[in-house]
Amino acid sequence: MRVGVIDYGVGNLGSVMRALEELRVAPVLIKNIKEMESCNRLILPGVGNFGTCSALLQRGGWVQALRDDVVGNQKPLLGICLGMQLLATTSSESDENESSESEFGLNLIPGRVESLEKIGCNLRVPHVGWNAINCLPVGREIFEKIPNGTDFYFVHSYAFIPENYEHVLATTDYGVQVTAAVRSGNVWGVQFHPEKSAAAGLQLYKNFVHWNP
């Protein structure tokens, strides 16, 4: 099993790679779109500003390549933290130095990304630390052997709001219900950091790696 971790210029790649190595899989750091062909699974990390990351994906040719591989070839993809938000259609978080195109995501799971304050959060932002997830009763493969109410580690100021609530796998309560995990077919996303979430995070990676379409 070769799991490709996409290196488009941002992301906590080292800790993701080490977590995958603990599962005895072969993580591959993908630095260009051609290297995706040799991988069975893809992971899209992300940290920082949506607009900056979106622009980097576009400049590197990743947007169309990911759509071709994930939609056309049905290759499983997992977005992590901002990587999950990049699965959306649009975001209100853009870089003022980038073009308006940086407001657009991969549109693999239709929806928008909004600030926590805008959706009603009255707690301190960013949301940093451990928080329990509430798993919905559908599409739980990625949470297999992970009890409902398990704590995961979050770091974010924006939240993903899918157009179709059926794409929501789990939520977390941070002064308002926040999407914690999403899925559409072979595309998955988690708002938290599995690689920083101890045994539960490793189990989630294991579930993704061994998921059989």
Side-chain angles (χ1 to χ4, degrees), residues 46-127:
V47 294
N49 179 278
F50 183 103
T52 300
C53 291
S54 176
L56 288 170
L57 287 174
Q58 292 175 45
R59 291 170 188 163
W62 295 101
V63 174
Q64 191 58 52
L66 280 167
R67 288 173 179 164
D68 290 344
D69 209 14
V70 173
V71 178
N73 299 329
Q74 290 293 294
K75 186 173 292 183
L77 170 69
L78 173 64
I80 299 171
C81 195
L82 182 56
M84 180 184 96
Q85 296 177 8
L86 288 165
L87 303 176
T89 311
T90 62
S91 174
S92 62
E93 181 188 24
S94 61
D95 187 333
E96 62 183 11
N97 296 318
E98 299 290 350
S99 69
S100 60
E101 291 182 350
S102 66
E103 298 172 4
F104 293 95
L106 295 167
N107 196 31
L108 294 174
I109 301 182
R112 70 187 194 279
V113 177
E114 299 286 358
S115 68
L116 289 173
E117 293 101 328
K118 185 171 181 179
I119 66 172
C121 177
N122 56 7
L123 301 179
R124 179 180 295 179
V125 174
H127 171 203

Coordinates of all heavy atoms in Angstrom, one line a residue, residues 46-127:
G46 N -3.0 20.6 5.2 CA -3.2 22.0 5.0 C -3.1 22.8 6.3 O -3.7 22.4 7.2
V47 N -2.3 23.9 6.3 CA -2.3 24.8 7.4 C -2.2 26.2 6.8 O -1.7 26.4 5.7 CB -1.1 24.5 8.3 CG1 -1.2 23.2 9.0 CG2 0.2 24.6 7.6
G48 N -2.7 27.2 7.6 CA -2.6 28.6 7.2 C -3.8 29.1 6.6 O -4.9 28.9 7.0
N49 N -3.6 29.9 5.5 CA -4.7 30.6 4.9 C -5.3 29.9 3.6 O -4.5 29.4 2.8 CB -4.2 32.0 4.4 CG -5.2 32.9 3.7 OD1 -5.4 32.7 2.5 ND2 -5.7 33.8 4.5
F50 N -6.6 29.8 3.5 CA -7.2 29.1 2.4 C -6.8 29.7 1.1 O -6.5 28.9 0.2 CB -8.8 29.2 2.6 CG -9.5 28.4 1.5 CD1 -10.1 27.2 1.8 CD2 -9.7 29.0 0.3 CE1 -10.9 26.5 0.9 CE2 -10.4 28.3 -0.7 CZ -11.0 27.0 -0.4
G51 N -6.8 31.0 1.0 CA -6.5 31.6 -0.3 C -5.1 31.3 -0.8 O -4.8 31.0 -1.9
T52 N -4.1 31.3 0.2 CA -2.7 31.0 -0.1 C -2.6 29.6 -0.6 O -2.0 29.3 -1.6 CB -1.9 31.2 1.1 OG1 -1.9 32.6 1.5 CG2 -0.4 30.9 0.8
C53 N -3.2 28.6 0.1 CA -3.2 27.2 -0.3 C -3.9 26.9 -1.6 O -3.4 26.2 -2.4 CB -3.8 26.4 0.9 SG -2.8 26.4 2.4
S54 N -5.0 27.6 -1.8 CA -5.7 27.4 -3.1 C -4.9 27.9 -4.2 O -4.8 27.2 -5.3 CB -7.0 28.2 -3.0 OG -7.7 28.1 -4.3
A55 N -4.2 29.0 -4.1 CA -3.4 29.5 -5.1 C -2.2 28.6 -5.4 O -1.8 28.4 -6.6 CB -2.9 30.9 -4.8
L56 N -1.6 28.0 -4.4 CA -0.5 27.1 -4.6 C -1.0 25.8 -5.3 O -0.3 25.3 -6.2 CB 0.1 26.7 -3.2 CG 0.9 27.8 -2.5 CD1 1.2 27.3 -1.1 CD2 2.2 28.0 -3.3
L57 N -2.1 25.3 -5.0 CA -2.7 24.2 -5.7 C -2.9 24.5 -7.2 O -2.6 23.7 -8.0 CB -4.0 23.7 -5.1 CG -3.9 23.0 -3.7 CD1 -5.3 22.8 -3.1 CD2 -3.2 21.7 -3.8
Q58 N -3.4 25.7 -7.4 CA -3.7 26.0 -8.8 C -2.4 26.2 -9.6 O -2.2 25.7 -10.7 CB -4.5 27.3 -8.9 CG -5.9 27.2 -8.3 CD -6.6 28.5 -8.3 OE1 -6.6 29.3 -9.2 NE2 -7.3 28.7 -7.2
R59 N -1.4 26.9 -9.0 CA -0.1 27.1 -9.7 C 0.6 25.8 -10.0 O 1.3 25.7 -11.0 CB 0.8 28.0 -8.9 CG 0.3 29.4 -8.8 CD 1.1 30.2 -7.8 NE 0.5 31.5 -7.5 CZ 0.8 32.3 -6.5 NH1 1.6 31.8 -5.5 NH2 0.2 33.4 -6.3
G60 N 0.5 24.8 -9.1 CA 1.2 23.6 -9.3 C 0.5 22.6 -10.1 O 1.0 21.4 -10.4
G61 N -0.7 22.9 -10.7 CA -1.5 22.0 -11.5 C -2.2 20.9 -10.7 O -2.7 20.0 -11.3
W62 N -2.3 21.1 -9.4 CA -2.9 20.1 -8.6 C -4.4 20.0 -8.7 O -4.9 18.9 -8.6 CB -2.5 20.3 -7.1 CG -1.1 20.2 -6.8 CD1 -0.2 21.3 -6.6 CD2 -0.3 19.0 -6.6 NE1 1.1 20.8 -6.3 CE2 1.0 19.4 -6.3 CE3 -0.6 17.7 -6.6 CZ2 2.0 18.5 -6.0 CZ3 0.4 16.7 -6.3 CH2 1.7 17.2 -6.0
V63 N -5.0 21.1 -9.0 CA -6.5 21.1 -9.0 C -7.1 20.1 -10.0 O -7.9 19.2 -9.6 CB -7.0 22.5 -9.2 CG1 -8.6 22.5 -9.3 CG2 -6.6 23.5 -8.1
Q64 N -6.7 20.3 -11.2 CA -7.2 19.4 -12.3 C -6.7 18.0 -12.1 O -7.4 17.0 -12.3 CB -6.9 19.9 -13.7 CG -7.6 19.2 -14.8 CD -9.1 19.2 -14.6 OE1 -9.7 20.3 -14.5 NE2 -9.8 18.1 -14.7
A65 N -5.4 17.8 -11.7 CA -4.9 16.5 -11.5 C -5.6 15.7 -10.4 O -5.9 14.5 -10.5 CB -3.4 16.6 -11.2
L66 N -5.9 16.4 -9.3 CA -6.6 15.8 -8.2 C -8.1 15.4 -8.7 O -8.5 14.3 -8.3 CB -6.7 16.7 -7.0 CG -5.4 16.7 -6.1 CD1 -5.5 17.9 -5.2 CD2 -5.3 15.4 -5.4
R67 N -8.7 16.3 -9.4 CA -10.0 15.9 -9.9 C -10.0 14.7 -10.8 O -10.9 13.8 -10.7 CB -10.6 17.2 -10.6 CG -11.0 18.3 -9.6 CD -11.5 19.5 -10.4 NE -11.9 20.6 -9.5 CZ -12.0 21.9 -9.9 NH1 -11.7 22.2 -11.1 NH2 -12.3 22.8 -9.0
D68 N -9.0 14.7 -11.7 CA -8.9 13.5 -12.6 C -8.7 12.2 -11.8 O -9.3 11.2 -12.2 CB -7.8 13.8 -13.6 CG -8.1 14.9 -14.6 OD1 -9.3 15.3 -14.7 OD2 -7.1 15.4 -15.2
D69 N -7.8 12.3 -10.9 CA -7.4 11.1 -10.1 C -8.4 10.6 -9.1 O -8.8 9.4 -9.0 CB -6.1 11.3 -9.4 CG -5.2 10.0 -9.3 OD1 -5.6 9.0 -10.0 OD2 -4.3 10.0 -8.5
V70 N -9.0 11.6 -8.4 CA -10.0 11.3 -7.4 C -11.4 11.0 -7.9 O -12.0 10.1 -7.5 CB -10.0 12.4 -6.3 CG1 -11.1 12.2 -5.3 CG2 -8.6 12.5 -5.6
V71 N -11.8 11.8 -8.9 CA -13.1 11.6 -9.5 C -13.0 10.6 -10.6 O -13.8 9.7 -10.7 CB -13.7 13.0 -10.0 CG1 -15.0 12.7 -10.7 CG2 -13.8 14.0 -8.8
G72 N -12.1 10.8 -11.5 CA -12.0 9.9 -12.7 C -11.6 8.5 -12.4 O -12.2 7.6 -12.8
N73 N -10.5 8.4 -11.5 CA -10.0 7.1 -11.2 C -10.5 6.6 -9.8 O -10.2 5.5 -9.4 CB -8.5 7.1 -11.1 CG -7.8 7.5 -12.4 OD1 -8.4 7.2 -13.5 ND2 -6.7 8.2 -12.4
Q74 N -11.4 7.4 -9.2 CA -12.0 7.0 -7.9 C -10.9 6.6 -6.8 O -11.1 5.7 -6.0 CB -12.9 5.8 -8.1 CG -14.2 6.1 -8.8 CD -15.1 7.1 -8.0 OE1 -15.6 6.7 -7.0 NE2 -15.2 8.3 -8.5
K75 N -9.8 7.3 -6.8 CA -8.8 7.1 -5.8 C -9.2 7.7 -4.5 O -9.6 8.9 -4.5 CB -7.4 7.7 -6.3 CG -6.3 7.3 -5.4 CD -4.9 7.8 -6.0 CE -4.6 6.9 -7.3 NZ -3.3 7.3 -7.9
P76 N -9.1 7.0 -3.4 CA -9.5 7.6 -2.1 C -8.6 8.8 -1.7 O -7.3 8.7 -1.9 CB -9.3 6.4 -1.1 CG -9.4 5.2 -2.0 CD -8.8 5.6 -3.3
L77 N -9.2 9.8 -1.2 CA -8.5 11.1 -0.8 C -9.0 11.5 0.6 O -10.2 11.4 0.9 CB -8.8 12.2 -1.8 CG -8.3 13.6 -1.4 CD1 -6.8 13.7 -1.4 CD2 -8.9 14.6 -2.3
L78 N -8.0 11.8 1.5 CA -8.3 12.3 2.8 C -7.8 13.7 3.0 O -6.5 13.9 2.9 CB -7.8 11.4 3.9 CG -7.9 11.9 5.3 CD1 -9.3 12.0 5.8 CD2 -7.1 11.0 6.3
G79 N -8.6 14.7 3.2 CA -8.2 16.1 3.5 C -8.1 16.3 5.0 O -9.0 15.9 5.7
I80 N -7.0 16.9 5.5 CA -6.8 17.1 6.9 C -6.8 18.6 7.2 O -6.0 19.4 6.6 CB -5.4 16.5 7.3 CG1 -5.4 15.0 7.0 CG2 -5.1 16.8 8.8 CD1 -4.0 14.4 7.2
C81 N -7.5 19.0 8.2 CA -7.6 20.4 8.7 C -8.0 21.4 7.5 O -9.0 21.2 6.9 CB -6.4 20.8 9.4 SG -6.6 22.3 10.4
L82 N -7.1 22.3 7.1 CA -7.3 23.1 6.0 C -7.5 22.3 4.7 O -8.2 22.7 3.8 CB -6.2 24.2 5.9 CG -6.4 25.2 4.7 CD1 -7.7 25.9 4.8 CD2 -5.2 26.2 4.7
G83 N -6.8 21.1 4.7 CA -7.0 20.2 3.6 C -8.4 19.8 3.4 O -8.9 19.6 2.3
M84 N -9.2 19.6 4.5 CA -10.6 19.3 4.4 C -11.3 20.5 3.8 O -12.2 20.4 3.0 CB -11.2 19.0 5.8 CG -12.6 18.7 5.7 SD -13.4 18.3 7.3 CE -14.1 19.9 7.7
Q85 N -11.0 21.7 4.3 CA -11.7 22.9 3.8 C -11.4 23.1 2.3 O -12.3 23.6 1.6 CB -11.2 24.1 4.6 CG -11.6 24.1 6.1 CD -11.1 25.2 6.9 OE1 -10.6 26.2 6.3 NE2 -11.2 25.1 8.2
L86 N -10.3 22.7 1.8 CA -10.0 22.9 0.4 C -10.8 21.9 -0.5 O -10.9 22.1 -1.7 CB -8.5 22.6 0.2 CG -7.5 23.7 0.6 CD1 -6.1 23.2 0.7 CD2 -7.6 24.9 -0.2
L87 N -11.5 21.0 0.1 CA -12.4 20.1 -0.6 C -13.7 20.9 -1.0 O -14.4 20.4 -1.9 CB -12.8 18.9 0.2 CG -11.7 18.0 0.7 CD1 -12.2 16.9 1.6 CD2 -10.9 17.4 -0.4
A88 N -13.9 22.0 -0.4 CA -15.2 22.7 -0.6 C -15.1 23.5 -1.9 O -14.2 23.5 -2.6 CB -15.4 23.7 0.6
T89 N -16.3 24.2 -2.2 CA -16.4 25.0 -3.4 C -15.8 26.3 -3.3 O -15.0 26.8 -4.1 CB -17.9 25.1 -3.8 OG1 -18.5 23.8 -3.7 CG2 -18.0 25.7 -5.2
T90 N -16.1 27.0 -2.2 CA -15.6 28.4 -2.0 C -15.2 28.6 -0.5 O -15.6 27.9 0.4 CB -16.6 29.5 -2.4 OG1 -17.8 29.3 -1.5 CG2 -17.0 29.3 -3.8
S91 N -14.5 29.7 -0.3 CA -14.2 30.1 1.1 C -14.2 31.6 1.2 O -13.8 32.3 0.2 CB -12.8 29.6 1.5 OG -12.4 30.1 2.8
S92 N -14.6 32.1 2.4 CA -14.5 33.6 2.6 C -13.2 34.0 3.1 O -12.9 35.2 3.3 CB -15.6 34.0 3.6 OG -15.4 33.3 4.9
E93 N -12.3 33.0 3.3 CA -10.9 33.3 3.8 C -10.0 33.4 2.6 O -9.6 32.3 2.0 CB -10.4 32.3 4.8 CG -9.0 32.6 5.3 CD -8.4 31.5 6.1 OE1 -8.8 30.4 6.0 OE2 -7.5 31.8 6.9
S94 N -9.6 34.5 2.1 CA -8.7 34.6 1.0 C -7.6 35.5 1.3 O -7.6 36.3 2.3 CB -9.5 35.2 -0.2 OG -10.0 36.5 0.0
D95 N -6.5 35.4 0.6 CA -5.3 36.2 0.7 C -5.5 37.5 -0.1 O -5.7 37.4 -1.3 CB -4.1 35.4 0.3 CG -2.8 36.1 0.6 OD1 -2.8 37.3 0.7 OD2 -1.8 35.4 0.7
E96 N -5.3 38.6 0.5 CA -5.5 39.9 -0.2 C -4.5 40.1 -1.3 O -4.7 40.9 -2.2 CB -5.5 41.1 0.8 CG -4.1 41.2 1.5 CD -4.1 42.4 2.5 OE1 -5.2 42.9 2.8 OE2 -3.0 42.7 3.0
N97 N -3.4 39.3 -1.2 CA -2.4 39.5 -2.3 C -2.6 38.5 -3.5 O -1.9 38.6 -4.4 CB -1.0 39.2 -1.7 CG -0.6 40.2 -0.6 OD1 -0.8 41.4 -0.8 ND2 0.0 39.7 0.5
E98 N -3.7 37.7 -3.3 CA -3.9 36.7 -4.4 C -5.1 37.2 -5.2 O -5.9 38.1 -4.8 CB -4.2 35.3 -3.8 CG -3.1 34.8 -3.0 CD -1.9 34.4 -3.9 OE1 -2.0 34.4 -5.1 OE2 -0.8 34.1 -3.4
S99 N -5.4 36.5 -6.4 CA -6.5 36.9 -7.2 C -7.8 36.3 -6.6 O -7.8 35.5 -5.6 CB -6.3 36.3 -8.6 OG -6.4 34.9 -8.5
S100 N -8.9 36.7 -7.2 CA -10.2 36.2 -6.7 C -10.3 34.7 -6.8 O -11.1 34.0 -6.2 CB -11.4 36.9 -7.4 OG -11.3 36.6 -8.8
E101 N -9.5 34.1 -7.7 CA -9.6 32.6 -7.9 C -9.1 31.9 -6.6 O -9.5 30.7 -6.5 CB -8.6 32.2 -9.1 CG -9.2 32.6 -10.4 CD -8.3 32.2 -11.5 OE1 -7.2 31.7 -11.3 OE2 -8.7 32.3 -12.7
S102 N -8.4 32.5 -5.8 CA -7.9 31.9 -4.5 C -9.1 31.6 -3.6 O -8.9 31.0 -2.5 CB -6.8 32.7 -3.9 OG -7.4 34.0 -3.4
E103 N -10.3 32.2 -3.9 CA -11.4 31.9 -3.0 C -12.1 30.6 -3.3 O -13.0 30.1 -2.6 CB -12.4 33.0 -3.2 CG -11.9 34.4 -2.8 CD -12.9 35.5 -3.2 OE1 -14.0 35.2 -3.7 OE2 -12.5 36.7 -3.0
F104 N -11.6 29.9 -4.4 CA -12.3 28.7 -4.8 C -11.4 27.4 -4.4 O -10.2 27.5 -4.5 CB -12.5 28.7 -6.3 CG -13.4 29.7 -6.8 CD1 -13.0 31.0 -7.2 CD2 -14.8 29.4 -6.7 CE1 -13.9 31.9 -7.6 CE2 -15.7 30.4 -7.1 CZ -15.3 31.7 -7.6
G105 N -12.2 26.4 -4.0 CA -11.5 25.2 -3.6 C -11.6 24.1 -4.7 O -11.9 24.4 -5.9
L106 N -11.5 22.9 -4.3 CA -11.5 21.8 -5.3 C -12.9 21.4 -5.7 O -13.0 20.7 -6.7 CB -10.7 20.5 -4.7 CG -9.2 20.7 -4.4 CD1 -8.7 19.6 -3.5 CD2 -8.5 20.8 -5.7
N107 N -13.9 21.7 -4.9 CA -15.3 21.4 -5.2 C -15.5 19.9 -5.3 O -16.3 19.4 -6.1 CB -15.7 22.1 -6.5 CG -17.2 22.1 -6.6 OD1 -18.0 22.2 -5.6 ND2 -17.7 22.1 -7.9
L108 N -14.8 19.2 -4.5 CA -15.0 17.7 -4.4 C -16.1 17.3 -3.5 O -16.8 16.3 -3.7 CB -13.7 17.0 -4.0 CG -12.5 17.1 -5.0 CD1 -11.3 16.5 -4.4 CD2 -12.9 16.4 -6.3
I109 N -16.4 18.2 -2.5 CA -17.6 18.1 -1.7 C -18.2 19.5 -1.7 O -17.7 20.4 -1.0 CB -17.3 17.6 -0.3 CG1 -16.6 16.3 -0.3 CG2 -18.5 17.6 0.6 CD1 -16.2 15.7 1.1
P110 N -19.3 19.7 -2.4 CA -19.8 21.1 -2.5 C -20.2 21.7 -1.2 O -20.7 21.1 -0.3 CB -21.1 20.9 -3.4 CG -20.8 19.6 -4.1 CD -20.0 18.8 -3.2
G111 N -19.8 23.0 -1.0 CA -20.0 23.7 0.2 C -19.2 24.9 0.3 O -18.4 25.2 -0.6
R112 N -19.3 25.6 1.4 CA -18.5 26.8 1.6 C -17.8 26.8 3.0 O -18.1 26.0 3.9 CB -19.4 28.1 1.6 CG -20.4 28.2 2.7 CD -21.4 29.3 2.5 NE -22.1 29.7 3.8 CZ -23.1 29.1 4.3 NH1 -23.6 28.0 3.6 NH2 -23.7 29.5 5.4
V113 N -16.8 27.6 3.1 CA -16.0 27.7 4.3 C -16.2 29.1 4.9 O -16.0 30.1 4.2 CB -14.5 27.5 4.0 CG1 -13.7 27.7 5.3 CG2 -14.3 26.1 3.5
E114 N -16.6 29.2 6.1 CA -16.9 30.5 6.8 C -16.1 30.6 8.1 O -15.8 29.5 8.7 CB -18.4 30.6 7.1 CG -19.3 30.7 5.8 CD -19.2 31.9 5.0 OE1 -18.4 32.9 5.4 OE2 -19.8 32.0 3.9
S115 N -15.9 31.8 8.6 CA -15.3 32.0 9.9 C -16.2 31.4 11.0 O -17.4 31.4 10.9 CB -14.9 33.4 10.1 OG -16.1 34.2 10.3
L116 N -15.5 31.0 12.1 CA -16.3 30.5 13.2 C -17.2 31.6 13.8 O -18.3 31.3 14.2 CB -15.3 30.0 14.3 CG -14.6 28.7 14.0 CD1 -13.6 28.4 15.1 CD2 -15.6 27.5 13.9
E117 N -16.7 32.8 13.8 CA -17.5 33.9 14.4 C -18.8 34.1 13.5 O -19.9 34.3 14.1 CB -16.7 35.2 14.4 CG -15.6 35.2 15.4 CD -14.2 35.0 14.7 OE1 -14.2 34.3 13.6 OE2 -13.2 35.5 15.2
K118 N -18.6 34.0 12.2 CA -19.8 34.2 11.3 C -20.9 33.2 11.5 O -22.1 33.5 11.3 CB -19.3 34.3 9.9 CG -20.4 34.7 8.9 CD -19.9 34.9 7.5 CE -21.1 35.3 6.6 NZ -20.6 35.6 5.2
I119 N -20.5 32.0 11.9 CA -21.5 30.9 12.0 C -22.0 30.9 13.5 O -22.8 30.0 13.8 CB -21.0 29.5 11.6 CG1 -19.9 29.1 12.5 CG2 -20.6 29.6 10.1 CD1 -19.5 27.6 12.2
G120 N -21.6 31.8 14.3 CA -22.2 32.0 15.6 C -21.4 31.6 16.8 O -21.9 31.6 17.9
C121 N -20.1 31.3 16.6 CA -19.2 30.9 17.7 C -18.9 32.2 18.6 O -18.5 33.2 18.0 CB -17.9 30.3 17.2 SG -16.7 29.9 18.5
N122 N -19.1 32.0 19.9 CA -18.8 33.2 20.8 C -17.7 32.8 21.7 O -17.4 33.5 22.7 CB -20.1 33.6 21.6 CG -20.6 32.4 22.4 OD1 -20.0 31.3 22.4 ND2 -21.8 32.6 23.0
L123 N -16.9 31.7 21.4 CA -15.8 31.4 22.2 C -14.5 31.9 21.5 O -14.5 32.5 20.5 CB -15.7 29.8 22.3 CG -16.9 29.2 22.9 CD1 -16.7 27.6 23.0 CD2 -17.2 29.7 24.4
R124 N -13.4 31.7 22.2 CA -12.1 32.2 21.7 C -11.7 31.6 20.4 O -11.9 30.3 20.2 CB -11.0 32.0 22.7 CG -9.6 32.4 22.2 CD -8.6 32.2 23.3 NE -8.8 32.9 24.5 CZ -8.0 32.8 25.6 NH1 -7.0 32.0 25.6 NH2 -8.3 33.6 26.7
V125 N -11.3 32.4 19.4 CA -10.9 31.9 18.1 C -9.4 32.3 17.9 O -9.1 33.4 18.2 CB -11.8 32.5 17.0 CG1 -11.3 32.2 15.6 CG2 -13.3 32.1 17.2
P126 N -8.6 31.4 17.4 CA -8.9 30.1 16.8 C -9.3 29.0 17.9 O -9.0 29.2 19.1 CB -7.7 29.7 16.1 CG -6.6 30.4 16.9 CD -7.2 31.7 17.3
H127 N -10.0 28.0 17.4 CA -10.4 26.9 18.2 C -9.1 26.0 18.3 O -8.7 25.4 17.3 CB -11.5 26.1 17.6 CG -11.9 24.8 18.2 ND1 -12.5 23.8 17.4 CD2 -11.6 24.3 19.4 CE1 -12.7 22.8 18.2 NE2 -12.2 23.0 19.4

